[in-house]
Amino acid sequence: MKVSWKSSIAVCLLAAAAAMPAVAELNQLTDEEQQQGWELLFNDSDMSQWRNFKRDDLNPKWVAENGVMKLTEKGGGDIITRKSYRNFDLRLEWKISEGGNSGIFILVDEAGRNIYSRAPEIQILDNERHSDNKIDSHRSGSLYDMIPSHPSSHKPAGEWNQVRILFVDGFLQVWQNDVQTVTITLGDSAWNTLLAASKFGSSLMSFVSDFEGFGEGREGHIGLQDHSDPVAFRNLKILALD
């Protein structure tokens, strides 16, 4: 039987398609992830794992809509997970509005005046339009005001970005869109040098008490920022490594 080259190509394409893994559903854990102990921080509609900073409830300006957790407008306030984490692997996707600014906080406690008083932040930003783009360590994927992300990790506003934050015994690593943007050990000499030169360092701030104890914690909540701009999140999941 003679098989045409068109038929051969069709068969190859079908075989390749069959071999490709199925696209994972949004806000779902795979069987393997469930066995490993991953925990969803949002499952399409349930935002019960979140509350506002220094409050027990959640402002209604933070909503779940079409499989996305989002801040619809300013005034929603910064939010944190109800649980605390010590060593963890955090994965999420974010999308910022045009001209927008937000952030992801780790090791959040509520001893300071604000969510950013003591918690390191991984920046979320419209790198093209927001005025904070003039400082390289304020662009998306950066350890805010301390370590700048590489431009190859950036995407335009309106596109989804993938972030991984791995924190183990003080060692912090961050990837944005599969590009490593941060690697630092909290409390070592490199950290202390960067901290002293940042807005969180006492040498530059007259109101240093606002940042007393910044980055010293080794356990805390995960936080998401209300910087007055709409921002969306999905596929938020965390693996506790303790």
Side-chain angles (χ1 to χ4, degrees):
M1 173 179 173
K2 184 177 180 181
V3 179
S4 71
W5 64 271
K6 290 183 179 181
S7 298
S8 298
I9 291 176
V11 170
C12 291
L13 289 174
L14 288 171
M20 291 176 62
V23 177
E25 293 185 36
L26 291 180
N27 308 308
Q28 299 290 326
L29 296 177
T30 65
D31 291 341
E32 183 179 4
E33 287 172 333
Q34 292 180 44
Q35 293 171 6
Q36 292 171 344
W38 284 86
E39 173 187 0
L40 276 178
L41 297 177
F42 173 65
N43 68 351
D44 284 339
S45 59
D46 182 7
M47 296 181 63
S48 62
Q49 296 193 65
W50 297 87
R51 63 178 175 85
N52 276 96
F53 181 70
K54 293 193 174 183
R55 291 180 54 174
D56 290 329
D57 58 351
L58 186 66
N59 189 293
K61 292 181 180 178
W62 284 94
V63 303
E65 186 177 281
N66 298 323
V68 172
M69 189 173 90
K70 63 183 182 180
L71 173 66
T72 56
E73 59 180 312
K74 67 180 181 180
D78 303 319
I79 64 173
I80 61 175
T81 54
R82 293 187 179 273
K83 290 178 62 175
S84 296
Y85 300 91
R86 191 164 67 93
N87 296 322
F88 58 85
D89 191 346
L90 172 68
R91 316 283 181 99
L92 60 83
E93 295 179 59
W94 62 264
K95 182 170 65 174
I96 193 65
S97 54
E98 288 193 1
N101 186 335
S102 185
I104 307 160
F105 295 95
I106 63 169
L107 308 175
V108 178
D109 64 34
E110 295 174 284
R113 182 183 306 176
N114 302 296
I115 194 172
Y116 53 78
S117 295
R118 295 159 59 93
E121 175 188 357
I122 305 305
Q123 176 74 313
I124 291 174
L125 196 77
D126 177 354
N127 298 307
E128 297 175 357
R129 299 173 182 84
H130 196 282
S131 59
D132 233 10
N133 64 8
K134 296 177 178 63
I135 302 174
D136 56 3
S137 62
H138 290 191
R139 298 169 191 152
S140 69
S142 299
L143 177 59
Y144 180 74
D145 211 51
M146 295 180 70
I147 299 177
S149 61
H150 192 272
S152 63
S153 71
H154 300 165
K155 288 185 177 182
E159 293 190 17
W160 285 104
N161 295 260
Q162 295 78 40
V163 167
R164 178 188 183 192
I165 301 174
L166 180 63
F167 184 79
V168 179
D169 296 333
F171 183 41
L172 172 63
Q173 299 179 82
V174 179
W175 293 261
Q176 180 171 264
N177 299 319
D178 296 322
V179 177
Q180 188 164 39
T181 60
V182 175
T183 176
I184 189 78
T185 299
L186 276 63
D188 71 3
S189 58
W191 168 271
N192 291 335
T193 298
L194 291 166
L195 179 62
S198 74
K199 64 172 59 179
F200 310 110
S202 59
S203 62
L204 298 181
M205 302 299 289
S206 60
F207 49 99
V208 63
S209 59
D210 281 357
F211 301 109
E212 184 176 357
F214 180 84
E216 293 180 3
R218 294 296 177 268
E219 180 175 352
H221 306 271
I222 306 301
L224 302 175
Q225 187 179 40
D226 172 4
H227 204 280
S228 301
D229 304 311
V231 61
F233 300 91
R234 69 184 186 188
N235 291 331
L236 299 103
K237 57 188 176 184
I238 192 166
L239 177 65
L241 300 174
D242 299 322

